[in-house]
Every structure is written in C-alpha cells, then in structure tokens.
Amino acid sequence: MTTYEPEPWRIKMVEPIRATTRAHRERAIRAAGWNPCLLRAEDVHIDLFTDSGTNAMSDRQWSALMRGDEAYAGARSFYVLEQAVREHYGYPHVVPVHQGRGGEAILSRCLLGPGTHVPGNMYFPTTRAHQELNGATFHDVIVDEAHDPVSEHPFKGDVDLDKLRALVEEVGADAIPCVSVAATVNMAGGQPISVGNLTAVCELAHAHGIPVFLDAARAVENAWFVKQREPGWGDKSVAEILHALCAPTDGAVVSAKKDGLANIGGWVGLRDADLADRVRAEALLYEGLHTYGGMAGRDMEAIAQGIAESVDEEHIRSRVAQVEYLGARLRNAGVPVVRPFGGHCVCVDAAATLPHIPRGQFPGQTLAAALYVVGGVRGVERGGVSAGRDPRTGDNRTPALELLRLAVPRRVYTRCHIDHVADSVIKVHQEREEITSGLVFSHEPPVLRFFQARFAPAGGESIFGRS
Ligand code: PLI
C-alpha cells in the first residue's frame, strides 16, 4: 500500500456537497443524454471530471486577489504575473490569455496555415482542434509505449525521435512551422516527458530551423516525475527542473487552471520578440489588451501566487501522492488502470473493463455514465468520443487508449473522498457484467464533441441490463 502522509494544508473554508440516491442519478444522467459533462454539478457527489480550474486556492491566493489592479492598460498585476512566469519558467515575453485554449488559438493563427504539419506527443483535443482549424495536420510522434496502458515505461510522454525525423524527411522542414510537445501528456494519462528527451527533440527540431512549443499546463507535475525517475535529477529542486524543461524550448502555452492553482487564466511565454509582438496583436483582437488578456487583475495576482506555491516540494509531493493512492487502491482491487499512475489523474482502461461493449458503442463513455449512476462520481471519457473524427475523411478516430479518466482537483478532496471514489470504481468493476449496453450518439457536435454530445443506450432504455 502506498504511503499517504498528512496533507501540507488544513481547511479554512468549506463548501457543502451532497450525496444523492441512485434513482436520482439515473434520472439525472438520462436528462444529461448519458454525458456526465452535461450534468448539473450539484447532482455530482465527488467531481473528478477535471483538475482544470477546480483547484482550491490558498489563503495567500485569496489575499492576493485583493491586490488586483483592474486598470485597463498596464495594470500592476500584469507585471506581477510577468515576473512570476519569468522567474519560474524563464520566458522573457509573457502574454496573458483567458485560458489555455485562448493561447492555443492565437499561436496556431500566428504559425500555422493550410498544408502545414505539426508533430506532437499524442494530442490534446483543444490543441489539435486549433491546429486543424488553421489548416495544419497533426502527427502523433510519441513513443509506442504511450499507447500501451500496461507498459511501465517511466517517460511515456517521450517523443520517438525516429518518428519525428521520419516526418521531417517526409514532408520537409519548411512544412513544419513548429513542434508541439506537452508536459505531462494528458491523453496518455498524465505521463511525463524526460528532460533528456525534450532537450533532444529541441536539438533535432532546431537543427532544421523548427521551433518547439511546450504545453506547460502540468509541467510542474512533470518536473516532480523527473526528480523521481530520471537519472541525474534526484538532487535538483522541482523549481530547477521546471527551468530545465523550459530552457531548450522556444515558448510555452499554459493553462493556469492546472499546476497554476488558479480557477481561470493562462499565458503564452515566448523567447522571440517578433513572434511575441504578433501574439500580442492577435491577443488584442481575441482576448483583450496584452496586459490583461481576458483576465481580471485579481486573476493575474492569484496565478502569480499560485505559480510560486506550485513548485513547493511539499505541495507537489502531496498532490501526486493523492493521485497515486487512488491508483494503488484500484490496482490492488484488480481494476485495470493505466500504468504508471499519472500526475493529475488515474485512468481506468474502459476497453479492458467492458470488453463486451464494442468500441463503436464507446466503452469509456459508458463506464463514465455507469460510475456516476453507481457512485455519484463524475469522471470523463478519454477514448473514441474525445478523439473525434478525422477532418479529412470524416471517419471516427479509434485511439488505442479507451479510458475513463478520474482527474483529481488540487487541495480539494480528503482521503475519505478518495476512498469513496475507489470504492465506487471497484463496485462498478465487480458488477461490470450488469452493464449490458454501450452508447450511441443522439446528438453529435462538430468540434470537441465530448463536451456537448448527447447519447442513447444502444440496446434499449438503459446501459444496465437489470434496470
Ligand atoms: O482548459 P484550458 O483552455 O485552460 O486549457 C486547455 C488545455 C490545454 N492543454 C492541456 C494539456 C490541457 O489539459 C488543457 C485543458 N484540459 C482540461 C480542460 C482537462 O480537463 O484536462
């Protein structure tokens, strides 16, 4: 059993949550078209839909809010954020955005165009959607192990350099405006990239004149894994490793709603002054002036304070340990989970849990709905629904990983809550034969369909044979 040391915080303010009956949840999930994303949050007992923007802020962050300077132009709070990013991530140019996808949209508009190609380590739905909207084709060049849920590879976020090299040869460096690398890799289950691999990716890309941009939303969690697993880094602080991860890259797009311990916000960090000017010009049109980017001054203060807290070793140790505790409970009970456990989430292998549900009936989505009905716990599908359709052929993509992701918000839930989650998942797993039907679309939105899709049970009234 993994250790579970006392959390390095105590609770100063509470928010009531309520348990509901199974009958209530069955009504709620039907009304939500069998998509947990469309539930009302008050109908959810333990919400592991995402770790994004769901963090509990510290007393210091709440007091930082009061220092927010709400000047339209040149607010003091912008310079506080800029300083925090420069200090901890090392990028000289900082452009605030309302959240990560705002930055993705802007960078994609600045760099990409029809006929271009973007290699990356697996994909994230919003990132790839903006790349495709701007005419680019995304290429997954992650190591093969990332697609294998049971592989114990310590850095499943690593790029396969041979795949990257082959792509450059195939389409030509001129057709690759950038490499897009994430730390950690969300869709693989929160898996880290090593400093050595990221540095090698940058060397290879730079040798062909291609810049590398990092999705650093969870780079602090990545840095923690580097400290634990990558030879030569054990004695370094997480703050030093974060610098080392960012150092070879040309910039970063960051959602501050993850590592940043904030409830909203993001930023783009860049080294190149000309590109920074172009990004600021786009931000002006789509986000807000370049010194607030769609955020209030108080949001920028909360993020700056959150960045400082995020690299605290006690914080990051405790955060990752809570995720690991959940993973260990599930693994010990025989639930098939993605190994090693990720930084922000535990992913249940839905294809292995529900082998009797065809992939075309979305086992991950079905398992998410079942977990909600059985335990009042909300997770999110990370499989065929999230992968969407190939924009060129219109065909459904079928990723190797068909998962139910349980993302743990930072500093929000206690061990009892996590135990309730584990007990609920174990119960669903033990009673998996009762899930007799998968789901089919009754409404399929054209982009990022997992957020707003509605479903119906493929085999009748319910996904459960006995109801
Ligand atoms: O939700 P945003 O727009 O602040 O950030 C988009 C985004 C970009 N990159 C990565 C790796 C993400 O995980 C991400 C958002 N993730 C969400 C919402 C999640 O539930 O994982």
Side-chain angles (χ1 to χ4, degrees):
M1 178 58 71
T2 179
T3 53
Y4 194 114
E5 296 189 1
E7 287 86 356
W9 38 261
R10 59 186 173 193
I11 296 164
K12 194 176 271 188
M13 186 189 285
V14 295
E15 176 186 1
I17 53 176
R18 65 176 183 143
T20 50
T21 62
R22 178 166 174 147
H24 177 93
R25 296 192 293 270
E26 281 185 2
R27 280 194 301 276
I29 197 72
R30 277 176 203 282
W34 298 89
N35 186 353
C37 187
L38 297 179
L39 291 166
R40 286 172 176 250
E42 62 187 4
D43 289 328
V44 176
H45 186 195
I46 310 290
D47 203 347
L48 303 191
F49 184 73
T50 182
D51 64 321
S52 177
T54 51
N55 303 300
M57 292 209 298
S58 68
D59 52 357
R60 285 158 184 77
Q61 283 178 291
W62 280 103
S63 52
L65 289 180
M66 298 303 294
R67 294 198 296 269
D69 176 356
E70 306 304 343
Y72 189 93
R76 186 185 59 244
S77 302
F78 165 70
Y79 296 102
V80 172
L81 173 64
E82 183 186 57
Q83 178 51 29
V85 172
R86 283 179 176 168
E87 183 182 337
H88 291 284
Y89 292 81
Y91 300 110
H93 303 285
V94 182
V95 185
V97 289
H98 79 281
Q99 62 182 84
R101 69 200 70 180
E104 291 167 347
I106 289 172
L107 200 63
S108 296
R109 289 173 69 92
C110 286
L111 296 175
L112 310 181
T116 58
H117 299 267
V118 180
N121 52 352
M122 208 167 267
Y123 78 102
F124 187 73
T126 60
T127 320
R128 187 175 64 187
H130 283 296
Q131 291 162 350
E132 289 175 348
L133 275 174
N134 285 281
T137 303
F138 177 80
H139 300 263
D140 181 9
V141 292
I142 204 166
V143 292
D144 288 343
E145 288 87 342
H147 297 283
D148 175 2
V150 297
S151 161
E152 293 282 354
H153 192 298
F155 289 104
K156 284 169 126 176
D158 278 359
V159 168
D160 182 327
L161 295 168
D162 288 336
K163 288 185 192 172
L164 180 55
R165 234 176 256 118
L167 182 74
V168 175
E169 267 171 37
E170 186 193 328
V171 303
D174 288 349
I176 304 179
C178 65
V179 177
S180 164
V181 185
T184 59
V185 179
N186 194 348
M187 301 303 278
Q191 304 294 333
I193 182 170
S194 61
V195 175
N197 182 259
L198 181 52
T199 306
V201 169
C202 292
E203 283 168 6
L204 173 56
H206 291 163
H208 291 89
I210 304 168
V212 178
F213 294 97
L214 185 66
D215 182 331
R218 299 184 184 84
V220 179
E221 288 167 5
N222 198 112
W224 174 256
F225 287 126
V226 167
K227 187 178 167 91
Q228 310 308 309
R229 300 177 189 169
E230 188 168 354
W233 291 96
D235 294 340
K236 300 276 191 277
S237 70
V238 166
E240 287 172 314
I241 300 170
L242 180 62
H243 262 284
L245 282 165
C246 298
T249 68
D250 298 271
V253 179
V254 176
S255 167
K257 302 170 73 173
K258 284 86 174 172
D259 276 350
L261 292 166
N263 299 126
I264 193 68
W267 49 270
V268 180
L270 297 163
R271 299 195 193 284
D272 182 76
D274 290 340
L275 179 58
D277 275 343
R278 283 158 55 209
V279 166
R280 284 189 198 99
E282 289 284 330
L284 188 57
L285 282 170
Y286 296 102
E287 298 289 300
L289 192 71
H290 59 276
T291 56
Y292 73 87
M295 283 186 281
R298 55 182 171 271
D299 299 326
M300 294 190 279
E301 294 278 352
I303 296 169
Q305 175 63 30
I307 289 174
E309 292 176 17
S310 72
V311 294
D312 178 276
E313 308 263 330
E314 291 305 307
H315 159 72
I316 191 68
R317 173 186 292 113
S318 163
R319 188 278 182 288
V320 177
Q322 193 179 45
V323 174
E324 196 182 320
Y325 173 78
L326 173 59
R329 277 220 50 202
L330 298 185
R331 181 197 57 205
N332 294 344
V335 179
V337 282
V338 172
R339 303 299 322 280
F341 308 131
H344 68 295
C345 63
V346 174
C347 292
V348 179
D349 185 341
T353 305
L354 302 176
H356 51 290
I357 304 290
R359 288 293 300 269
Q361 293 179 14
F362 307 122
Q365 188 71 33
T366 307
L367 195 59
L371 176 62
Y372 170 70
V373 170
V374 171
V377 175
R378 174 157 70 168
V380 69
E381 189 263 9
R382 284 302 184 220
V385 178
S386 296
R389 291 178 183 272
D390 184 319
R392 283 163 308 169
T393 63
D395 292 341
N396 274 317
R397 291 167 163 133
T398 307
L401 298 176
E402 176 71 19
L403 308 175
L404 163 63
R405 185 189 76 173
L406 304 167
V408 182
R410 297 164 189 79
R411 309 190 293 206
V412 170
Y413 290 118
T414 66
R415 182 172 174 174
C416 286
H417 294 123
I418 299 295
D419 277 329
H420 174 78
V421 172
D423 292 342
S424 302
V425 176
I426 292 166
K427 186 170 159 60
V428 173
H429 181 252
Q430 284 168 347
E431 298 171 0
R432 59 194 180 278
E433 295 298 329
E434 290 177 18
I435 303 168
T436 52
S437 169
L439 293 165
V440 290
F441 283 110
S442 57
H443 165 65
E444 183 188 350
V447 226
L448 299 178
R449 61 187 187 179
F450 58 95
F451 281 128
Q452 292 161 336
R454 298 181 70 84
F455 300 86
E461 286 297 297
S462 175
I463 58 171
F464 295 102
R466 64 187 170 81
S467 26

